[in-house]
Amino acid sequence: MDKAITQNRKPSRYIKYLGALILVFGAYWVLRQSLLPTVKRTDLVFGEVKSGGMVNTISATGLVEPSTEIVLISPLATKVKQILKDNGSEVKVGDPILLLDTQFADMEFRRLTDELSLKENNVLRLRLELEKNIREIELDDQVKDLQVKNLEAQVKDALRLKSIGGMTQEEVDQARQNLAIALLEKKKLENELKYRKESIASSVKGEELQSSIQRQRRDELAQKIQKATLRAEVDGVVTWIENRIGAQVQEGDPLAKLANLSAYSLMVQVSDMHADKIQVGQEVQVELNQKVEKGEIEQILPAIENNTIQCKVRLMNTGSESLRPKMRVPVRIVTQTRQESKFLPMGPGIKGGRSQELFVVNGSEAKKRVVELGFRTSDKVEVISGLQPGDQVIISDMSLFEDKSRVKIK
């Protein structure tokens, strides 16, 4: 019976030992929890690990410029007579902008017209004179032809008379000589006629060419007089105009500039410390009224001024209604992209360096974990290892707890 009682007491003893052990561990856990540093949740900034695309950018400043700017030049050496549009005025195609004085040009036009009439009259007179000379030579040739026929008959008569003793040999030879001379004179007339007919075209053509040159000079001046009223060639805005009434201008001098408002480009300035990262064809993001417009670098200017590089950017949406000439806009030049990656929001707790220790939240605690980071943007940092999408990380400054492996959050 005593043996049975002893065996019944052993399980109850084990239960006491187990309970004591649990109490010891509980006390240890309570003690440890009470010793953990505590931080208020409201004092912390949290960031969630997410997955998606990332871009690395360089901040710059862009100046909006019309993609095309048309310069209107003076067609004449004259004076500015009247200003019809002010600087900054919007214009449509064909709108008059500026009027030049054409008084002397009109006088020159009339003089050229008179000279042209004179030259055209000279062409007609020359043609008539040459045709008259040709007609006279043709008549002389016809007369000479009759003389030749008469002399040929005289030669035949002389030969017949000689055969019957009515004429001497000397008289026959004289008749033959007269015929030969007449034939040579006829041939001379025919040659002269042929030359005059062939030369009439070149003689008249020379006069007609001078007349054509004169006509061209007059017509060119007429076009210049017509252009003396400068008109808008495109819809746009007057960005500059010669507004001095009476100002003397030379032919080819600029008188006005028009900006085409249907298309814009950007002239971007970026620090020369990024010179090795800037390339033609890189994507550019432009912030406009809380929207982002995209473009690409199409030209990098070789000169460096005031420690800045200038790039010309072609916008994808060149006709955005938010754009205005001379408008300054913030620009981001994309230097790196990741199609699929993990990233954290940037915060004061994320320092420089590739490997860092960050506090990862788990319920009411945050435990320190070694994390490997990659490239950074202005608002994100790439996570290479140590974290997974969905992890909550403290990204505020935790330098006060750098010797702690865990913190309590309340």
Side-chain angles (χ1 to χ4, degrees):
M1 181 180 240
D2 292 337
K3 186 176 181 180
I5 293 173
T6 303
Q7 290 177 347
N8 289 334
R9 288 178 178 176
K10 286 183 179 181
S12 61
R13 187 181 304 167
Y14 292 147
I15 292 172
K16 291 179 181 179
Y17 291 156
L18 181 59
L21 186 60
I22 291 173
L23 288 174
V24 170
F25 277 107
Y28 173 75
W29 183 84
V30 172
L31 179 62
R32 185 176 180 182
Q33 287 293 105
S34 63
L35 294 177
L36 279 178
T38 302
V39 61
K40 293 181 179 180
R41 185 176 293 272
T42 54
D43 293 337
L44 300 175
V45 179
F46 300 92
E48 182 181 352
V49 179
K50 296 181 179 180
S51 59
M54 282 189 67
V55 292
N56 195 12
T57 61
I58 297 172
S59 296
T61 302
L63 181 65
V64 178
E65 295 181 345
S67 59
T68 56
E69 188 174 56
I70 296 175
V71 180
L72 303 180
I73 62 174
S74 174
L76 299 165
T78 182
K79 296 184 295 184
V80 177
K81 183 177 181 180
Q82 186 178 359
I83 306 300
L84 304 176
K85 295 290 183 182
D86 295 326
N87 192 20
S89 300
E90 292 191 9
V91 293
K92 300 292 184 182
V93 175
D95 286 353
I97 297 174
L98 181 146
L99 186 63
L100 295 174
D101 185 5
T102 60
Q103 180 180 359
F104 293 107
D106 290 336
M107 293 174 58
E108 179 68 9
F109 177 80
R110 289 192 292 270
R111 185 184 69 81
L112 292 176
T113 300
D114 293 341
E115 289 182 357
L116 177 60
S117 298
L118 182 61
K119 288 184 180 295
E120 289 176 342
N121 186 63
N122 288 339
V123 171
L124 180 61
R125 181 183 57 79
L126 178 62
R127 187 185 295 277
L128 292 174
E129 184 177 341
L130 291 173
E131 289 177 352
K132 172 179 172 293
N133 292 337
I134 290 173
R135 184 58 182 165
E136 289 178 350
I137 294 174
E138 288 176 341
L139 292 174
D140 289 342
D141 184 58
Q142 291 176 7
V143 171
K144 188 59 66 176
D145 186 59
L146 293 174
Q147 291 177 352
V148 167
K149 289 179 180 180
N150 183 48
L151 290 172
E152 288 176 343
Q154 290 180 9
V155 170
K156 290 180 181 179
D157 291 341
L159 289 173
R160 181 169 50 81
L161 290 172
K162 180 179 177 294
S163 64
I164 61 174
M167 187 172 285
T168 64
Q169 183 64 39
E170 289 81 4
E171 291 174 331
V172 172
D173 291 341
Q174 183 64 45
R176 286 176 174 170
Q177 185 178 4
N178 291 337
L179 176 60
I181 291 173
L183 288 171
L184 289 174
E185 288 177 346
K186 177 175 173 56
K187 187 174 182 179
K188 179 181 178 181
L189 286 172
E190 289 174 347
N191 288 338
E192 179 70 15
L193 180 61
K194 182 180 178 181
Y195 168 76
R196 291 294 181 90
K197 285 183 176 179
E198 290 178 350
S199 64
I200 186 173
S202 60
S203 298
V204 173
K205 186 176 181 180
E207 289 294 326
E208 287 178 339
L209 182 60
Q210 292 186 18
S211 177
S212 176
I213 293 173
Q214 188 75 5
R215 184 181 297 105
Q216 184 176 356
R217 290 176 57 193
R218 186 199 65 174
D219 293 346
E220 287 178 353
L221 181 59
Q223 291 181 358
K224 290 179 179 180
I225 292 173
Q226 186 178 9
K227 292 179 179 178
T229 300
L230 270 70
R231 299 180 181 274
E233 298 179 5
V234 296
D235 294 346
V237 169
V238 178
T239 58
W240 174 82
I241 190 168
E242 174 57 82
N243 56 7
R244 296 174 299 161
I245 303 294
Q248 189 72 35
V249 294
Q250 299 300 317
E251 183 176 349
D253 285 353
L255 294 177
K257 294 181 181 180
L258 298 182
N260 184 358
L261 298 184
S262 63
Y264 293 95
S265 61
L266 282 182
M267 188 59 70
V268 174
Q269 290 186 334
V270 60
S271 173
D272 62 350
M273 65 182 293
H274 302 297
D276 58 334
K277 302 175 185 177
I278 307 299
Q279 296 179 358
V280 172
Q282 281 180 319
E283 180 185 341
V284 173
Q285 299 174 349
V286 183
E287 296 181 16
L288 289 172
N289 298 333
Q290 299 181 346
K291 295 193 300 183
V292 176
E293 297 285 350
K294 292 186 177 181
E296 68 175 22
I297 297 175
E298 64 177 3
Q299 183 184 7
I300 301 174
L301 275 62
I304 297 178
E305 298 181 1
N306 300 324
N307 298 323
T308 60
I309 299 172
Q310 288 191 324
C311 311
K312 188 174 182 181
V313 172
R314 178 176 59 84
L315 295 171
M316 299 304 178
N317 181 15
T318 58
S320 173
E321 296 181 355
S322 301
L323 295 172
R324 292 290 182 273
K326 306 304 179 183
M327 179 182 187
R328 292 194 176 273
V329 292
V331 174
R332 297 192 298 269
I333 301 173
V334 178
T335 57
Q336 284 181 293
T337 60
R338 293 282 194 275
Q339 297 299 326
E340 190 63 33
S341 63
K342 296 178 294 184
F343 57 85
L344 262 176
M346 284 293 291
I350 299 176
K351 310 297 183 183
R354 192 173 182 85
S355 180
Q356 293 190 34
E357 292 182 333
L358 299 176
F359 285 93
V360 181
V361 178
N362 183 14
S364 61
E365 288 186 1
K367 187 175 181 181
K368 188 178 288 184
R369 188 184 301 177
V370 177
V371 178
E372 187 176 1
L373 303 177
F375 82 83
R376 303 156 188 249
T377 69
S378 59
D379 58 348
K380 298 176 185 177
V381 58
E382 182 187 21
V383 176
I384 296 176
S385 64
L387 296 173
Q388 296 299 325
D391 286 347
Q392 292 288 327
V393 181
I394 298 175
I395 58 174
S396 53
D397 187 7
M398 297 291 285
S399 56
L400 295 175
F401 308 97
E402 61 183 358
D403 59 339
K404 307 296 181 181
S405 61
R406 293 192 307 167
V407 294
K408 187 176 181 181
I409 302 173
K410 68 174 183 178

